Amino acid sequence: MDKKNLDWANLGFAYLKADWRYVSNYRNGAWDEGGLTQDDMIAMSEDAGVLQYAQTVFEGLKAYTTEDGRIVCFRPDLNDARLKMSCERLEIPVLPEGRFTEAVTKVVSANAAWVPPYGSGASLYIRPYIFGISPVIGVKPAEEYQFRTFVTPVGPYFKGGAKPISVKISDFDRAAPRGTGHIKAGLNYAMSLHAIVTAHNEGFSENIYLDPGTRTKIEETGGANILFADGDGNLVVPRSDSILPSITRRSIEYVAEHYLGLKVTERDVYLSEVGEFKECGLCGTAAVISPVGHIYDHGKDIWFESGMEKMGPVMQKLYDTLTGIQLGRIEAPEGWIHTICEA
Ligand code: PLP
Ligand code: COI
């Protein structure tokens, strides 16, 4: 199959319009059959639920070309489960069983020419989402919804790829206790836009959010969970009910324990102890594992021993093992790799 003529190795994290997307509509209490379309435009009421009260949830996962030439995606069952959780929290009707994976499989297959080749360092980002499309003026859920899935080829989320980044402790809070921090809803990102623009203007790549209750504990960044490596080379991971349960982070914890023999501790991580860690990394579908070399906290600098030049040894081992599994170089745990097209 002919690939698109793109400079795969130099893609950033930006939207490129691929050929096909999947659309299904929910009307009269049921999802229709759905199918592929080339139409990327959406016409809706000026009063659609998504436009008035931000009733929308989404997912993010990636498809890869493996070393042996298959097109695969990574643990879509977990994205499906998390989308269901997000829908339930925002009163959005859940998809029929199997529909999520069907949409992902159909869109990726139809856009096979857009899946970056093995070895390019790029991947195909898949964005499934559901939004309220019918008119709503009193505060209540919409009656009609649309589920769409599009894809776009992407490179590294942070400029410079695997170079350590500098992040700041945000003055803003991301998620209230008992709020919506644990689901993947557009509203969690709308509120982060002023904070991320501020951070970028100050020269930082991301914001670290603290727990809003006490502002003493590390939660996560705007688009990734956080990992630390301690002085013994073990993994310490912030635990909180208001962070997004990252699929990458859960996979890394498994890899750390079962492939690398590291100890993994999920616990409250206090800002006051962060300077004692040797390495820090951000993890997520988009971020993969992005090393953090420096945290700025209101006039105080925290520099990690791993420095600003390259990833530290623990993050590097985790990165190599995780991406090795995703690209078919290392045997994956049962059920982690979903083959979309055979070689
Ligand atoms: N945290 C936030 C706020 C995110 O937006 C993401 C991205 O999906 C993650 C964490 C990482 O989650 P995952 O590894 O499932 O992509
Ligand atoms: C992802 O990693 O899939 C996300 O949704 C993060 C977003 C900031 C791009």
Side-chain angles (χ1 to χ4, degrees), residues 21 64 192 198 319:
R21 60 275 303 129
Y64 310 85
S192 77
T198 307
Y319 179 91

Side-chain angles (χ1 to χ4, degrees), residues 44-280:
M44 67 177 92
S45 164
E46 62 187 355
D47 189 34
V50 60
L51 299 179
Q52 301 312 317
Y53 302 125
Q55 196 189 13
T56 178
V57 294
F58 69 101
E59 272 303 323
L61 66 164
K62 281 175 171 172
Y64 310 85
T65 306
T66 57
E67 192 171 26
D68 62 4
R70 285 171 301 141
I71 295 176
V72 303
C73 69
F74 186 68
R75 309 190 78 180
D77 52 318
L78 297 189
N79 295 92
D80 187 8
R82 191 170 62 188
L83 184 66
K84 183 165 181 276
M85 187 171 81
S86 300
C87 284
E88 284 166 351
R89 181 66 175 78
L90 291 201
E91 292 293 336
I92 293 175
V94 301
L95 295 171
E97 190 72 26
R99 180 63 66 87
F100 180 89
T101 308
E102 180 193 323
V104 166
T105 305
K106 281 190 170 158
V107 181
V108 174
S109 306
N111 291 298
W114 294 88
V115 183
Y118 176 76
S120 63
S123 54
L124 189 74
Y125 187 71
I126 307 165
R127 173 53 63 86
Y129 59 113
I130 308 181
F131 55 96
I133 198 166
S134 59
V136 170
I137 196 72
V139 177
K140 62 178 184 176
E143 284 175 2
E144 295 177 0
Y145 294 84
Q146 187 163 103
F147 166 51
R148 293 182 82 97
T149 300
F150 68 78
V151 296
T152 184
V154 294
Y157 190 66
F158 295 107
K159 277 196 214 91
K163 266 256 192 217
I165 55 172
S166 199
V167 303
K168 69 172 279 192
I169 302 291
S170 183
D171 291 327
F172 300 97
D173 293 329
R174 175 181 177 275
R178 295 172 290 281
T180 53
H182 62 297
I183 61 162
K184 207 156 168 61
L187 57 92
N188 290 335
Y189 300 81
M191 55 57 58
S192 77
L193 296 176
H194 177 59
I196 194 67
V197 169
T198 307
H200 285 165
N201 287 342
E202 292 169 0
F204 302 103
S205 299
E206 251 291 11
N207 282 295
I208 290 186
Y209 293 100
L210 301 177
D211 74 295
T214 68
R215 291 194 59 83
T216 58
K217 290 179 269 184
I218 301 289
E219 295 246 297
E220 64 172 327
T221 66
N225 281 181
I226 305 182
L227 310 166
F228 295 100
D230 69 14
D232 298 322
N234 289 316
L235 212 55
V236 179
V237 185
R239 181 173 45 200
S240 161
D241 290 340
S242 51
I243 66 178
L244 191 76
S246 159
I247 292 160
T248 315
R249 189 254 301 157
R250 286 180 272 160
S251 305
I252 288 168
E253 290 182 8
Y254 184 90
V255 161
E257 274 186 345
H258 296 90
Y259 283 63
L260 302 174
L262 306 184
K263 201 170 117 211
V264 177
T265 311
E266 269 188 32
R267 63 166 172 83
D268 287 345
V269 174
Y270 289 87
L271 174 59
S272 58
E273 62 172 313
V274 162
E276 292 160 29
F277 293 119
K278 302 295 175 208
E279 296 178 41
C280 176

